[in-house]
Amino acid sequence: MAALLPLLMPVGLTAQMAGLGGAVAEADLLYFAGAPRMAFERLEDHLAADPLDYAALWRAARSAVALGIREEGSRAQNAWLDPAILLAQRAVDARPLGLEGIYWHGVAAGRRAMNAGPGYAAELAQIVRDDARAILAVDSAHGGAHNMLGKLSYEVMSLSVLERLLARTFLGGDALDDTSWEKAEHHLRRAAEAWPQVVLFHYDLAELYRKRDRRREAVEELGHVLALVPIHPVDASVQEEARALLEEWGAGDGIAAVDPVGDHDGR
């Protein structure tokens, strides 16, 4: 299994594992084998003895995010997402310029914002925006950072008029003005192109197309979702959702023709 992992990982993850051993390498094997809780517990034990280990900190945050996503209900999700934010922040504190720590900090904040009230959600949204921009200032082709910005725009643009007015109270006009459907699509597309092996990035893009009533493009992206080899622990459930949606549309595995009436931009 260990020999196959580099072939299954997104761009950038293979290099992250190079030369690593001990708890960190074991946690990676457990995580990519679909056991994020075991990975988290292995890292937790390691961090008790070495609390400033950057590589262990951001990986612990990654496992906590995966565990949070897989839980049902906001309270159970937050029980993992709140520690994920703290672990990622510790990673950033240990290595301020480390992109992995910044990335998982932003991912954890973005997921947590989905379960937060307006005030805290605004604070978390600012973290997502700042972390993504910090990464892109160093690596303009970072798929994860583009996904963060795309999801942020998507979530804001999906709010009702009343919700957006309330969000403006907390976020301020400039922050809201920085989001649009066009920016959401741009960044989600860049994410899927930059890291094409990541199942969730294609699903996020498909969700945007579905929201905009661009069904043909949504079906194409969902087809990509099903064609990919699962990498992260949440990928299998994402693929199940994609398959269910395609069956609902009568689109099979994403290859069958779709009525062109549903293929418009929705603007």
Side-chain angles (χ1 to χ4, degrees):
M1 178 65 180
L4 294 176
L5 283 176
L7 300 177
L8 304 180
M9 293 181 189
V11 174
L13 290 183
T14 307
Q16 292 170 17
M17 282 189 65
L20 296 174
V24 168
E26 291 173 19
D28 270 334
L29 290 172
L30 289 166
Y31 177 87
F32 289 110
R37 183 183 288 270
M38 293 179 66
F40 182 86
E41 291 172 351
R42 181 68 181 95
L43 293 166
E44 190 175 38
D45 289 342
H46 173 72
L47 287 168
D50 188 0
L52 299 180
D53 187 336
Y54 170 77
L57 285 166
W58 72 257
R59 284 171 168 82
R62 177 184 66 184
S63 290
V65 168
L67 288 163
I69 293 174
R70 293 191 346 181
E71 290 286 356
E72 294 290 337
S74 60
R75 180 170 296 182
Q77 292 171 359
N78 295 344
W80 286 107
L81 296 174
D82 287 332
I85 294 174
L86 296 176
L87 285 162
Q89 183 59 59
R90 286 171 57 190
V92 173
D93 292 341
R95 188 180 299 177
L97 300 181
L99 297 189
E100 304 94 343
I102 298 172
Y103 172 60
W104 287 104
H105 186 243
V107 171
R111 286 285 172 177
R112 182 62 178 84
M114 298 171 69
N115 297 334
Y120 189 36
E123 178 183 337
L124 293 167
Q126 189 63 51
I127 289 173
V128 173
R129 183 181 291 105
D130 292 346
D131 286 348
R133 288 177 173 174
I135 294 170
L136 293 175
V138 177
D139 179 3
S140 62
H142 193 284
H146 280 293
N147 180 263
M148 287 161 62
L149 288 178
K151 281 289 289 180
L152 181 60
S153 278
Y154 173 87
E155 294 296 338
V156 171
M157 296 306 297
S158 296
L159 296 173
S160 68
V161 174
L162 179 59
E163 289 171 329
R164 293 194 71 199
L165 287 173
L166 181 61
R168 185 179 294 276
T169 302
F170 292 98
L171 284 174
D174 291 342
L176 285 182
D177 290 342
D178 195 39
T179 63
S180 67
W181 286 118
E182 290 75 20
K183 288 185 178 181
E185 179 176 351
H186 167 76
H187 287 295
L188 291 178
R189 186 192 297 275
R190 285 288 302 273
E193 291 172 350
W195 290 2
Q197 305 99 320
V198 180
V199 168
L200 189 58
F201 290 2
H202 289 283
Y203 186 82
D204 286 341
L205 183 55
E207 279 287 280
L208 179 139
Y209 288 143
R210 181 170 72 140
K211 186 77 172 181
R212 304 297 285 160
D213 295 325
R214 293 161 61 178
R215 186 174 291 189
R216 185 180 299 278
E217 292 162 289
V219 166
E220 181 179 352
E221 287 302 321
L222 292 173
H224 290 317
V225 168
L226 296 182
L228 290 170
V229 175
I231 299 171
H232 294 278
V234 300
D235 287 351
S237 61
V238 172
Q239 288 178 322
E240 289 178 8
E241 292 178 18
R243 187 173 291 107
L245 184 56
L246 287 170
E247 290 176 356
E248 178 185 327
W249 284 343
D253 291 327
I255 301 174
V258 178
D259 184 351
V261 172
D263 186 26
H264 57 86
D265 62 12
R267 284 194 289 268

